[in-house]
Amino acid sequence: MYLEGFDPPHQSDTRTIYIANRFPQYGLYTPQKFIDNRIISSKYTVWNFVPKNLFEQFRRVANFYFLIIFLVQLMIDTPTSPITSGLPLFFVITVTAIKQGYEDWLRHNSDNEVNGAPVYVVRSGGLVKTRSKNIRVGDIVRIAKDEIFPADLVLLSSDRPDGSCHITTASLDGETNLKTHVAVPETAVLQTVANLDTLVAVIECQQPEADLYRFMGRMIITQQMEEIVRPLGPESLLLRGARLKNTKEIFGVAVYTGMETKMALNYKSKSQKRSAVEKSMNTFLIIYLIILISEAIISTILKYTWQAEEKWDEPWYNQKTEHQRNSSKILRFISDFLAFLVLYNFIIPISLYVTVEMQKFLGSFFIGWDLDLYHEESDQKAQVNTSDLNEELGQVEYVFTDKTGTLTENEMQFRECSINGIKYQEINGRLVSEGPTPDSSDGNLSYLSGLSHLNNLSHLTSSSPFRTSPENETELIKEHDLFFKAVSLCHTVQISNVQTDGIGDGPWQSNFAPSQLEYYASSPDEKALVEAAARIGIVFMGNSEETVEVKILGKLERYKLLHILEFDSDRRRMSVIVQAPSGEKFLFAKGAESSILPNCIGGEIEKTRIHVDEFALKGLRTLCMAYRQLTSKEYEVIDRRLFEARTALQQREEKLANVFQFIEKDLILLGATAVEDRLQDKVRETIEALRMAGIKVWVLTGDKHETAVSVSLSCGHFHRTMNILELINQKSDNECAEQLRQLARRITEDHVIQHGLVVDGTSLSLALREHEKLFMDVCRNCSAVLCCRMAPLQKAKVIRLIKISPEKPITLAVGDGANDVSMIQEAHVGIGIMGKEGRQAARNSDYAIARFKFLSKLLFVHGHFYYIRIATLVQYFFYKNVCFITPQFLYQFYCLFSQQTLYDSVYLTLYNICFTSLPILIYSLLEQHIDPHILHNKPTLYRDISKNRQLSIKTFLYWTILGFSHAFIFFFGSYFLMGKDISLLGNGQMFGNWTFGTLVFTVMVITVTVKMALETHFWTWINHLVTWGSIIFYFVFSLFYGGILWPFLGSQNMYFVFFQLLASGSVWFAIILMVVICLFLDIVKKVFDRQFNPTNTEKAQLTETNSSVKCLDSMCCFPEGETVCASVGRMLERVIGRCSPTHVSRFYRSPV
């Protein structure tokens, strides 16, 4: 794995890379070691698969328990064969191993395909074709257009003179825009292999880290015995997995390879999330383990109590050996205890785990198949990244959602702006100022229609607010010119396939649009602003490494791009330093008003602040624009300090932040922009449905307070009638505490049904520092909470706070951007929206959907079904195992606790594997206890399953007591009906041990299977096949097993037993009678519960039944003239929640 040159683990903060691996020939040099370029996503190898997989499987408590039981059976004399425990254990282990092995084999194939991809490397003065896995750190790699980068490369040169290239990182972060990367000037000219072979250079950079957008390094180039130092940043690094676009070819040097590439370091192994059902299941297992140990202890004590009498201790037909008489009583007691433990161990259902795993894995496909969760416009279907949490979708109590891109479309439209204290709206491509419109009766033009009108001052009449004097007119033109120049120059927008002929020529017309230009931007805000500037008359034409071209009213101007001060979430702004054609140097800054206005010393600051607040109240997203003219001396200082900070290898980010703060001061405010991000379809209806379902919705956003409140009101998160409480702009702990106490008093005193709370990031930090309990008390009494100005980690902290509160509610987080990943991973269930801010949220989520409105179907239908299915599965498994083992326990009272088994060992082995496994598995996949349309249209039904209600102790005790009562009926019914009657067998023989045990077993198999049938509401031909087929299979197997003398069986206790049993009419009568008695009480309870204490779900079922349902959408029910294939298709549609009204008349109408 490791090649020459690395010190694992990294012993220094930096690594030194000699380009083309030209190591120094003189002086002391210790080569570092770097890993090769193989990507390994697989978990196992051929050699470690068996031991590693077995180790992982036996870490599961149930598997380890059965292994211990199996070893006990091997070591001591136990009443049952080791096969009875060994075979089910082997089956579970094998099935799981095959599944995991197959998944890992697919990963191996994927790795081999990637690692074996052909690449071209520069070696010995020529291009050498090799495989991707053979790339070493320091190799110069050639990449052609549309190829994927095989390692993290520092760009050396491209086919363009300036050494730039375009790439797309869609596979890394989902952003489809073209990004420009540039080479340093000294290597950009080396465009051939021969020239690159002369390059002598060293790269010093940081050690590998996962952050895709962070890279610090420097290149030291030796030319003519001089060393030239150039800084390297993210713009120089080409990431593995990205694709080269619009560039013929590039050369780059590998700096990170294999599992040290940023793509590989982002293979996040998510923390294991456990559902509430799984936790309940473990609790039930512990309870049953206590029952098992108690039964074993009771049996052992009663055995020795019974054997206290000499005639029972050593009867004449079972004399002890000398060894048994002399053995230790303590050892005998332990041995007997272990023997009883083995005898009763089947009360712990080992097959429960494998059935649950199969149910979750297979059931998760239904989400992806659901056409209601398919978004046609973007061609995206729902994705399941974690099938372990399906049932958790039915338990959600809190929903935490991002705003931008989650509740809104993240498609920005420029709407308004404020320039020098005057507000403008864009109407039909024209900027219209406040005041009379062009259609006014006075005929005055109080609007600005493109900057072309400014060149013709006759458009501005004497009564226009713009025209007061020639000096003001000139000033007006300058201000608007500067404002839109700032918009067109200060951004990171790129242009693809530029066709510039005719653009901007002649006067600007309102119906003209730069259709030949296609803008790409990582931020939709920036794209909207650049497009708006183009409509106004200042068209961004493209940029290179050193210049930005802007066409102003048809006249092309080239600005020299001196520096870009990149945007970061701490500063909340970005800036560019450019040199105008006149030679003047300007700093243009753009950012949130909270980061721009405090740094301004001129311009209409107060008016703009008022306008920004007005924009925010309309729900618009705002940005402020400012500038600063730099003198030559000022620029020299800035240029030097930027170079020093960018070439620093230690604390570069802190140094850059200080320099940025030094530069971005003493600004002149130009104005503000306002863009609209419209709401997604059916957001209001979805939030209202969540509220009806008893789910509290919190909106966590980074937007400013006014914008967030406006959007909350428009999307229905806040109601107009709701009492809105505010915790904002708190400056100290004491102030925050007092405000919280006031809010708590208001909630108590105000006789308002619903309260809403607004809290900002700074106030939240204070509240969480010292007053968590008080803050949580206020939040719990609010039906809606809005947190604005939130940092990503603050979002996660809020969710963490709710998770660990005394109620321990189930939380769900939904977001679409990289800033939402932390809260998505913190919540019990994370939902990623496949939006326009990349795919990081979707990749790191448990489930991914295309639109927020799909959340209601995901929770109310899929979540409801999954929870009901798996809750019944878990309860039923414990029930049928209680039915199975309790007769074995009761039988010991009639065989002097001799540890004689009631059932044949084959029946012991196959009970959970074959005879009773399929009906519950199919039920857990296909059951629909109520029509999905009713579940979707009646969110209140979601409350019936909240707080893990179906797995409460009360429900668990009911199933357990039911199992014990059925077991008593099986055993004592068989005993009293058959025990003393010698005439029941046709040949006059009495019932023997195996006949009695087989009768109990037969009644049990039929009863537990029919019990499953009673629980089934949605019947398909598959349910019929496995339910009645399981009973038929049991009879056929028993006849076959007991009807033949098997040569490989040492003793065959069951030979002809089943034939004799079924030959008796009394036995048939007894079987039917006991099955009816067992299930009659259960049916009576269900009828009384539905009649006198029905749940909302049962009432809805009654409504559904009265809605003229003629066909249960099952494949056993064929409408007239329908073929079998059509019925199969209809059933599959229903299973995934797409019931066709043309096939079945199930219509739910909510009561008026």
Side-chain angles (χ1 to χ4, degrees):
M1 181 78 176
Y2 287 94
L3 297 177
E4 209 169 323
F6 171 57
D7 314 357
H10 304 303
Q11 294 178 356
S12 65
D13 294 332
T14 62
R15 57 169 51 186
T16 303
I17 300 156
Y18 291 86
I19 295 179
N21 291 306
R22 294 191 181 90
F23 302 114
Q25 298 178 352
Y26 308 102
L28 295 175
Y29 168 67
T30 304
Q32 291 178 305
K33 293 180 181 177
F34 305 110
I35 65 174
D36 62 22
N37 200 39
R38 280 182 296 167
I39 286 290
I40 302 173
S41 62
S42 55
K43 195 174 182 180
Y44 307 105
T45 66
V46 174
W47 310 110
N48 72 8
F49 175 73
V50 173
K52 191 173 181 180
N53 187 265
L54 287 177
F55 173 74
E56 288 176 351
Q57 291 208 55
F58 284 119
R59 289 170 66 185
R60 182 172 273 174
V61 176
N63 289 349
F64 185 72
Y65 162 77
F66 270 89
L67 177 66
I68 296 298
I69 293 294
F70 176 64
L71 294 176
V72 167
Q73 287 178 294
L74 289 176
M75 290 187 291
I76 67 172
D77 183 22
T78 57
T80 57
S81 166
I83 294 174
T84 58
S85 293
L87 192 59
L89 179 64
F90 176 78
F91 173 76
V92 170
I93 296 294
T94 304
V95 168
T96 307
I98 290 171
K99 173 180 171 286
Q100 293 178 351
Y102 173 71
E103 290 173 349
D104 205 61
W105 177 71
L106 293 177
R107 286 192 287 266
H108 270 285
N109 287 346
S110 176
D111 290 346
N112 291 337
E113 185 178 345
V114 170
N115 295 330
V119 293
Y120 287 92
V121 177
V122 177
R123 285 181 185 159
S124 304
L127 274 179
V128 178
K129 186 177 181 180
T130 183
R131 295 182 183 275
S132 174
K133 64 182 179 182
N134 297 327
I135 294 175
R136 298 173 299 174
V137 170
D139 279 346
I140 299 176
V141 185
R142 191 204 75 171
I143 304 296
K145 182 181 177 182
D146 290 328
E147 287 184 352
I148 295 175
F149 301 117
D152 288 352
L153 311 174
V154 165
L155 180 61
L156 294 178
S157 65
S158 71
D159 62 318
R160 299 178 179 180
D162 61 356
S164 66
C165 70
H166 294 298
I167 70 168
T168 177
T169 57
S171 62
L172 295 172
D173 56 16
E175 294 180 3
T176 55
N177 59 296
L178 295 179
K179 297 176 180 176
T180 302
H181 287 248
V182 291
V184 300
E186 286 74 17
T187 63
V189 296
L190 307 176
Q191 296 178 313
T192 64
V193 174
N195 289 338
L196 285 167
D197 198 44
T198 64
L199 176 64
V200 178
V202 177
I203 291 175
E204 294 177 354
C205 63
Q206 62 187 144
Q207 295 291 6
E209 67 170 18
D211 191 338
L212 295 175
Y213 309 105
R214 189 169 181 267
F215 176 70
M216 292 187 296
R218 62 184 178 186
M219 185 183 295
I220 304 168
I221 305 146
T222 304
Q223 286 184 350
Q224 299 174 353
M225 302 302 290
E226 289 186 8
E227 288 188 349
I228 302 171
V229 180
R230 293 291 183 185
L232 300 174
E235 72 284 349
S236 305
L237 188 67
L238 308 173
L239 300 179
R240 178 175 190 145
R243 190 182 294 272
L244 184 64
K245 289 286 188 181
N246 290 9
T247 310
K248 184 179 177 182
E249 68 174 13
I250 65 100
F251 289 94
V253 57
V255 289
Y256 305 130
T257 52
M259 298 307 293
E260 291 184 342
T261 57
K262 290 184 180 291
M263 183 184 77
L265 293 174
N266 274 277
Y267 288 157
K268 183 169 179 58
S269 54
K270 299 192 195 79
S271 58
Q272 187 66 32
K273 294 182 179 180
R274 294 172 61 214
S275 69
V277 170
E278 189 176 345
K279 293 171 186 174
S280 298
M281 200 164 72
N282 291 338
T283 303
F284 297 161
L285 276 174
I286 292 170
I287 293 172
Y288 271 69
L289 193 60
I290 293 170
I291 294 173
L292 168 65
I293 293 171
S294 301
E295 288 183 346
I297 291 173
I298 290 169
S299 298
T300 309
I301 293 171
L302 288 176
K303 176 178 180 176
Y304 282 92
T305 304
W306 201 289
Q307 290 179 354
E309 295 184 44
E310 190 173 338
K311 65 173 182 176
W312 298 121
D313 182 39
E314 195 173 348
W316 61 270
Y317 55 83
N318 190 17
Q319 295 291 312
K320 291 182 180 178
T321 63
E322 194 65 30
H323 174 72
Q324 287 174 325
R325 289 194 187 96
N326 297 329
S327 61
S328 167
K329 288 184 178 181
I330 296 175
L331 289 177
R332 284 210 310 264
F333 185 90
I334 294 173
S335 177
D336 284 326
F337 170 75
L338 291 175
F340 280 117
L341 207 63
V342 168
L343 191 64
Y344 304 146
N345 82 85
F346 284 95
I347 199 171
I348 306 293
I350 184 174
S351 53
L352 171 62
Y353 281 103
V354 73
T355 307
V356 166
E357 198 166 310
M358 289 172 67
Q359 188 269 345
K360 289 184 175 183
F361 175 70
L362 297 174
S364 63
F365 287 105
F366 293 136
I367 292 177
W369 291 341
D370 191 343
L371 295 179
D372 283 340
L373 302 182
Y374 171 73
H375 190 244
E376 194 169 355
E377 292 175 22
S378 58
D379 190 28
Q380 291 170 333
K381 63 179 183 178
Q383 296 175 6
V384 180
N385 300 327
T386 307
S387 62
D388 292 339
L389 300 172
N390 293 342
E391 65 276 8
E392 204 80 332
L393 293 171
Q395 295 296 295
V396 175
E397 296 171 63
Y398 281 82
V399 167
F400 299 89
T401 175
D402 178 40
K403 182 182 75 67
T404 306
T406 303
L407 300 179
T408 61
E409 287 284 6
N410 206 11
E411 285 183 358
M412 309 301 175
Q413 291 291 327
F414 178 81
R415 287 289 179 253
E416 299 184 52
C417 65
S418 171
I419 305 175
N420 196 34
I422 301 174
K423 268 202 307 187
Y424 300 92
Q425 281 183 304
E426 185 187 22
I427 300 177
N428 298 326
R430 296 168 179 258
L431 274 186
V432 181
S433 73
E434 288 184 330
T437 64
D439 300 320
S440 298
S441 58
D442 61 5
N444 294 337
L445 295 179
S446 60
Y447 66 97
L448 190 67
S449 175
L451 286 178
S452 57
H453 294 278
L454 293 175
N455 287 346
N456 186 354
L457 296 180
S458 64
H459 283 278
L460 299 173
T461 66
S462 59
S463 60
S464 169
F466 298 119
R467 180 167 183 158
T468 55
S469 68
E471 292 80 6
N472 283 354
E473 291 165 4
T474 306
E475 189 65 27
L476 174 70
I477 297 171
K478 182 181 177 184
E479 289 163 358
H480 287 74
D481 187 41
L482 266 177
F483 179 84
F484 284 106
K485 277 182 182 177
V487 170
S488 297
L489 293 170
C490 185
H491 56 75
T492 57
V493 175
Q494 301 293 329
I495 295 179
S496 176
N497 300 323
V498 180
Q499 301 290 335
T500 59
D501 294 342
I503 291 185
D505 295 334
W508 181 264
Q509 303 298 326
S510 61
N511 61 352
F512 178 80
S515 57
Q516 297 93 331
L517 293 174
E518 190 174 1
Y519 293 126
Y520 290 89
S522 55
S523 166
D525 297 73
E526 286 194 330
K527 183 182 176 185
L529 292 176
V530 171
E531 287 174 342
R535 290 194 297 273
I536 299 306
I538 298 184
V539 186
F540 169 63
M541 303 301 296
N543 60 1
S544 63
E545 182 187 2
E546 295 183 348
T547 61
V548 180
E549 294 184 354
V550 178
K551 189 170 280 190
I552 303 176
L553 305 174
K555 180 184 175 184
L556 189 66
E557 292 186 3
R558 287 186 174 87
Y559 288 80
K560 188 174 182 181
L561 184 60
L562 301 174
H563 290 288
I564 298 177
L565 280 58
E566 298 83 0
F567 174 87
D568 65 62
S569 56
D570 294 327
R571 284 167 44 243
R572 296 178 63 84
R573 61 181 178 264
M574 75 160 290
S575 303
V576 294
I577 300 175
V578 297
Q579 182 175 320
S582 61
E584 296 175 302
K585 295 181 177 66
F586 291 93
L587 167 76
F588 290 111
K590 173 181 70 180
E593 89 287 345
S594 59
S595 65
I596 294 291
L597 297 184
N599 292 317
C600 290
I601 58 170
E604 296 288 349
I605 298 175
E606 290 308 315
K607 285 185 180 179
T608 304
R609 194 192 304 274
I610 293 170
H611 290 166
V612 166
D613 290 341
E614 290 174 358
F615 295 153
L617 286 172
K618 297 178 184 177
L620 304 177
R621 294 164 62 89
T622 59
L623 288 172
C624 288
M625 313 295 302
Y627 82 101
R628 173 186 172 191
Q629 190 167 351
L630 302 172
T631 64
S632 298
K633 190 172 291 185
E634 286 175 331
Y635 176 72
E636 286 176 9
V637 175
I638 288 171
D639 186 54
R640 177 175 52 78
R641 291 191 61 174
L642 275 174
F643 178 79
E644 290 172 355
R646 282 176 168 157
T647 53
L649 285 180
Q650 304 295 330
Q651 299 179 324
R652 179 185 292 186
E653 290 179 340
E654 291 84 348
K655 292 177 180 177
L656 278 174
N658 292 333
V659 175
F660 288 173
Q661 188 64 39
F662 169 75
I663 298 170
E664 296 168 327
K665 64 180 182 180
D666 301 336
L667 303 175
I668 306 298
L669 183 64
L670 290 169
T673 62
V675 296
E676 181 185 33
D677 187 6
R678 64 187 180 88
L679 286 175
Q680 288 186 18
D681 188 30
K682 294 188 177 179
V683 166
R684 174 181 283 272
E685 293 88 337
T686 304
I687 290 177
E688 186 58 35
L690 291 171
R691 189 175 284 119
M692 290 173 63
I695 298 172
K696 291 190 175 182
V697 181
W698 289 34
V699 175
L700 312 179
T701 178
D703 272 357
K704 70 191 303 286
H705 165 241
E706 293 83 1
T707 305
V709 171
S710 176
V711 172
S712 280
L713 287 167
S714 63
C715 73
H717 178 235
F718 284 166
H719 289 300
R720 297 286 175 186
T721 57
M722 191 179 281
N723 185 19
I724 306 297
L725 310 174
E726 291 189 345
L727 181 68
I728 57 174
N729 300 325
Q730 301 302 302
K731 306 297 183 186
S732 66
D733 282 337
N734 293 335
E735 185 183 342
C736 182
E738 181 57 32
Q739 179 67 10
L740 281 170
R741 281 190 281 270
Q742 286 184 16
L743 295 179
R745 281 196 297 271
R746 282 185 60 185
I747 291 173
T748 307
E749 294 167 2
D750 289 354
H751 301 289
V752 179
I753 298 175
Q754 290 185 328
H755 297 274
L757 176 67
V758 183
V759 55
D760 62 10
T762 52
S763 303
L764 182 72
S765 298
L766 293 171
L768 297 184
R769 188 186 304 165
E770 298 287 342
H771 318 292
E772 277 190 11
K773 187 176 183 303
L774 188 57
F775 176 69
M776 284 305 303
D777 289 340
V778 172
C779 289
R780 273 196 291 269
N781 289 310
C782 295
S783 56
V785 178
L786 169 63
C787 301
C788 53
R789 291 298 192 204
M790 295 281 284
L793 289 178
Q794 279 184 312
K795 293 182 179 183
K797 191 170 183 180
V798 167
I799 295 177
R800 176 76 179 162
L801 192 66
I802 297 295
K803 278 174 65 178
I804 63 175
S805 63
E807 295 85 1
K808 298 286 190 296
I810 304 300
T811 58
L812 179 146
V814 53
D816 72 318
N819 60 328
D820 301 317
V821 169
S822 55
M823 76 168 184
I824 284 173
Q825 292 182 333
E826 181 62 49
H828 291 96
V829 182
I831 307 286
I833 301 290
M834 295 176 280
K836 297 179 176 63
E837 287 193 18
R839 291 291 184 273
Q840 283 193 343
R843 283 206 323 269
N844 287 279
S845 64
D846 302 308
Y847 303 89
I849 53 179
R851 286 292 182 270
F852 182 79
K853 66 179 179 180
F854 295 152
L855 189 62
S856 60
K857 177 82 184 278
L858 194 65
L859 299 185
F860 302 154
V861 179
H862 289 284
H864 199 120
F865 282 153
Y866 284 134
Y867 177 73
I868 291 293
R869 291 166 183 169
I870 201 164
T872 306
L873 183 151
V874 171
Q875 307 269 33
Y876 177 78
F877 251 94
F878 285 110
Y879 153 79
K880 72 186 181 76
N881 277 44
V882 167
C883 291
F884 183 37
I885 288 305
T886 304
Q888 180 75 73
F889 173 68
L890 296 174
Y891 186 60
Q892 296 308 303
F893 288 86
Y894 294 88
C895 66
L896 297 182
F897 296 94
S898 61
Q899 297 154 8
Q900 169 63 40
T901 177
L902 179 63
Y903 313 119
D904 182 72
S905 60
V906 172
Y907 285 163
L908 280 171
T909 305
L910 298 183
Y911 175 74
N912 277 319
I913 295 177
C914 298
F915 299 147
T916 59
S917 59
L918 280 179
I920 182 59
L921 177 61
I922 297 303
Y923 170 93
S924 66
L925 291 173
L926 304 182
E927 171 64 1
Q928 294 184 15
H929 62 298
I930 190 170
D931 188 270
H933 297 293
I934 292 181
L935 283 178
H936 200 189
N937 293 330
K938 291 195 71 175
T940 51
L941 298 179
Y942 193 80
R943 296 172 183 257
D944 281 358
I945 61 168
S946 61
K947 299 187 183 297
N948 206 11
R949 203 158 292 171
Q950 300 297 318
L951 284 174
S952 63
I953 290 295
K954 180 181 175 183
T955 314
F956 167 71
L957 288 176
Y958 167 73
W959 279 91
T960 303
I961 292 169
L962 188 69
F964 278 116
S965 62
H966 285 184
F968 273 77
I969 293 172
F970 302 154
F971 184 82
F972 289 110
S974 300
Y975 180 77
F976 289 118
L977 286 170
M978 306 295 178
K980 298 178 181 179
D981 194 339
I982 61 170
S983 63
L984 290 177
L985 295 182
N987 58 6
Q989 291 181 347
M990 293 177 64
F991 261 38
N993 171 64
W994 299 115
T995 313
F996 176 74
T998 304
L999 174 60
V1000 173
F1001 192 83
T1002 304
V1003 176
M1004 178 173 57
V1005 168
I1006 296 172
T1007 303
V1008 299
T1009 305
V1010 176
K1011 169 64 178 169
M1012 188 73 263
L1014 287 176
E1015 295 297 319
T1016 303
H1017 295 84
F1018 178 59
W1019 283 91
T1020 69
W1021 66 266
I1022 303 176
N1023 294 83
H1024 284 290
L1025 178 66
V1026 298
T1027 302
W1028 315 123
S1030 292
I1031 297 174
I1032 293 169
F1033 172 75
Y1034 164 69
F1035 277 88
V1036 172
F1037 174 83
S1038 297
L1039 290 170
F1040 187 64
Y1041 169 61
I1044 300 174
L1045 286 170
W1046 300 95
F1048 55 83
L1049 293 177
S1051 62
Q1052 196 160 341
N1053 302 317
M1054 291 296 295
Y1055 180 66
F1056 228 66
V1057 168
F1058 204 66
F1059 281 92
Q1060 289 182 328
L1061 193 66
L1062 297 187
S1064 170
S1066 302
V1067 167
W1068 283 102
F1069 173 74
I1071 291 172
I1072 294 170
L1073 182 63
M1074 282 187 282
V1075 170
V1076 170
I1077 291 172
C1078 283
L1079 299 176
F1080 177 73
L1081 295 174
D1082 194 35
I1083 293 171
V1084 169
K1085 180 187 178 299
K1086 284 180 179 291
V1087 170
F1088 270 88
D1089 282 348
R1090 282 176 173 270
Q1091 189 68 30
F1092 299 110
N1093 189 27
T1095 63
N1096 289 329
T1097 304
E1098 288 167 345
K1099 290 176 184 176
Q1101 287 172 337
L1102 191 62
T1103 306
E1104 179 187 11
T1105 306
N1106 293 332
S1107 299
S1108 305
V1109 179
K1110 297 182 175 61
C1111 175
L1112 289 178
D1113 277 1
S1114 71
M1115 298 175 66
C1116 63
C1117 179
F1118 296 84
E1120 189 175 349
E1122 186 178 58
T1123 64
V1124 177
C1125 292
S1127 183
V1128 171
R1130 178 166 47 77
M1131 190 278 289
L1132 284 174
E1133 279 191 71
R1134 170 71 195 280
V1135 165
I1136 61 175
R1138 292 279 292 177
C1139 177
S1140 172
T1142 59
H1143 289 294
V1144 57
S1145 56
R1146 275 193 183 190
F1147 299 99
Y1148 174 77
R1149 293 179 182 174
S1150 57
V1152 179

